[in-house]
Amino acid sequence: MYRVVELDVPSSMHDAPTTVRAFRDWVDVSNRSEIAVHGLAELAWTAEEQLPLQHDPEAPSRLFVVRDDEDTVVAAGSYSSKTAEGTTNCWIAIGVDPDHRRRGVGTLLADHVEGIARAAGRTQWKTYAVSRQVGPASGPGFVPAPTGFGAVPEDEAGVRFLTGRGWRFGQVNRISRLALPADRGVVTALHDRAAAAAGPDHRVHAWTGRTPKRWLADIAHLETRMSTDAPSGDMEEPEDVWTVERLREHEAHLEDSPRTMLTVAVEHVPSTTLVGFTQLAVPDALDQPVFQWDTLVLREHRGHRLGWLLKVVGIETVERDHPGHPSIVTFNAEENRPMLDVNEAVGFVGVGSEGIWERRLQSDA
């Protein structure tokens, strides 16, 4: 007999032992469910690293597990959505322990979490499903992305599960890995080319931890534009507005993580505003990879190789200030050829994929 249980999300890893232990179980099953698909153990995050990500002040996470008769956690799921009135979208995740698949566990958990989305009036659902696929694919045996870039194997359990529940495949993210240390000659040459293209009207800044006060409004603006400027195929979401207050609270939570956030940003000198940024989560443990998170150049400032400049300065800064990590891992839309171009030029290699799926419901309004 299986049952769905909602967890109390710990405020810190020093909360009540039972609360923390339940969260660790949630993280463990989530990790194992994904590694069973793509085989990339390097992508697993610890509970200490995961916890701050569950405390978005505008979209807090609700976490769920499925327990069996012996009280063992056999599946993990999450639901998050903005709390603002009028919100239509949400994010759902489902992961089943590899040893407990094909027993109805995923269906039980999905029914529960999707029921919460329906009750909350959310009409646009999105989920991310990792894939074993490495590199572009097409033809028989694959489900193509409607963007025209990338595909996932149709025989994957996650693909069959989502398709059977009425979800629509929308986009492919390529998972890429750069082995460190990078080729210094290549990185330097690309830096020089990008700096020449950017010219004197652009200046690079870098910092770790909290955003300096002078750049808070600019980073909040760039975070907001991530929801409208980043490639999303035909799965456009409502604008996700970041305020300075939201950014401050988000960064305060990140300080509890055993990862240091490195931000590299480019300033448009004539306007004294930031027009692009990238963020890299650098773990304290040297045997773990660095994860490159959001990377964006505002649409109106593209065409000056600013994305290239952000990428190579990020690599140089990691290797100079945080040496010893095995790699940098990043996720990019398969149709984002400008970013894939710089990744490939500097030495990133595709190691897996992530399918982005959507389900839209008829609004009752």
Side-chain angles (χ1 to χ4, degrees):
M1 186 71 176
Y2 297 109
R3 66 190 190 282
V4 179
V5 179
E6 181 166 3
L7 304 184
D8 292 326
V9 182
S11 58
S12 78
M13 296 304 291
H14 302 292
D15 273 10
T18 53
T19 301
V20 173
R21 189 180 311 114
F23 179 68
R24 287 190 184 279
D25 289 341
W26 180 88
V27 172
D28 181 54
V29 171
S30 298
N31 282 334
R32 284 191 283 117
S33 69
E34 293 197 348
I35 293 170
V37 178
H38 54 47
L40 303 171
E42 194 176 45
L43 270 58
W45 282 51
T46 67
E48 287 78 5
E49 293 167 333
Q50 279 276 12
L51 184 57
L53 306 182
Q54 313 307 321
H55 289 290
D56 184 333
E58 299 291 333
S61 297
R62 294 178 64 180
L63 306 183
F64 305 86
V65 296
V66 175
R67 294 183 179 275
D68 65 12
D69 286 338
E70 297 179 354
D71 212 33
T72 301
V73 173
V74 298
S78 66
Y79 169 86
S80 61
S81 179
K82 293 191 68 176
T83 57
E85 185 176 351
T87 296
T88 59
N89 59 319
C90 66
W91 296 267
I92 291 171
I94 302 292
V96 178
D97 184 283
D99 294 332
H100 290 82
R101 291 179 177 170
R102 305 186 68 83
R103 302 182 189 180
V105 175
T107 297
L108 175 67
L109 184 54
D111 286 346
H112 186 87
V113 179
E114 289 179 7
I116 290 171
R118 289 180 188 275
R122 301 303 187 251
T123 56
Q124 183 195 22
W125 310 347
K126 184 173 283 190
T127 193
Y128 297 78
V130 295
S131 171
R132 69 174 186 270
Q133 181 59 34
V134 178
S138 61
F142 291 93
V143 181
T147 59
F149 297 86
V152 292
E154 63 183 9
D155 66 349
E156 287 187 330
V159 172
R160 296 196 306 268
F161 182 78
L162 290 166
T163 301
R165 295 186 67 85
W167 289 73
R168 183 181 69 90
F169 184 42
Q171 191 181 28
V172 173
N173 274 343
R174 182 187 301 187
I175 307 173
S176 300
R177 180 183 190 274
L178 174 68
L180 297 179
D183 187 317
R184 182 167 298 181
V186 170
V187 173
T188 299
L190 290 175
H191 187 161
D192 291 344
R193 287 170 55 193
D201 281 353
H202 298 95
R203 179 185 301 138
V204 176
H205 303 272
W207 62 85
T208 55
R210 298 197 186 200
T211 299
K213 183 176 180 180
R214 65 175 294 201
W215 300 125
L216 280 168
D218 286 356
I219 292 296
H221 177 65
L222 287 165
E223 291 282 12
T224 299
R225 290 285 291 271
M226 278 295 302
S227 65
T228 59
D229 285 21
S232 59
D234 62 354
M235 300 181 295
E236 293 185 7
E237 298 177 6
E239 183 181 49
D240 184 19
V241 177
W242 280 72
T243 63
V244 168
E245 291 72 26
R246 180 182 179 185
L247 179 62
R248 285 184 186 274
E249 188 171 348
H250 172 69
E251 292 182 339
H253 282 300
L254 290 181
E255 288 186 335
D256 295 331
S257 169
R259 284 182 179 259
T260 298
M261 185 61 72
L262 165 64
T263 301
V264 181
V266 61
E267 175 191 5
H268 180 240
V269 176
S271 64
T272 68
T273 59
L274 299 182
V275 298
F277 80 133
T278 188
Q279 293 186 314
L280 299 104
V282 183
D284 293 347
L286 288 181
D287 61 345
Q288 291 182 266
V290 175
F291 276 80
Q292 187 147 31
W293 283 3
D294 292 344
T295 300
L296 180 74
V297 175
L298 297 178
R299 286 186 181 133
E300 56 270 30
H301 288 273
R302 294 174 184 172
H304 303 285
R305 296 224 164 185
L306 301 183
W308 291 64
L309 190 58
L310 290 168
K311 178 70 69 171
V312 294
V313 172
I315 294 168
E316 291 170 334
T317 306
V318 165
E319 295 210 277
R320 183 189 67 237
D321 298 344
H322 307 277
H325 293 280
S327 63
I328 298 175
V329 175
T330 189
F331 291 63
N332 300 102
E334 275 290 351
E335 66 267 32
N336 191 355
R337 180 36 60 184
M339 190 53 64
L340 292 177
D341 280 344
V342 63
N343 283 350
E344 293 165 0
V346 82
F348 277 88
V349 176
V351 293
S353 298
E354 176 184 63
I356 306 176
W357 296 71
E358 180 186 62
R359 188 169 182 193
R360 287 184 181 264
L361 279 63
Q362 192 70 31
S363 175
D364 293 332

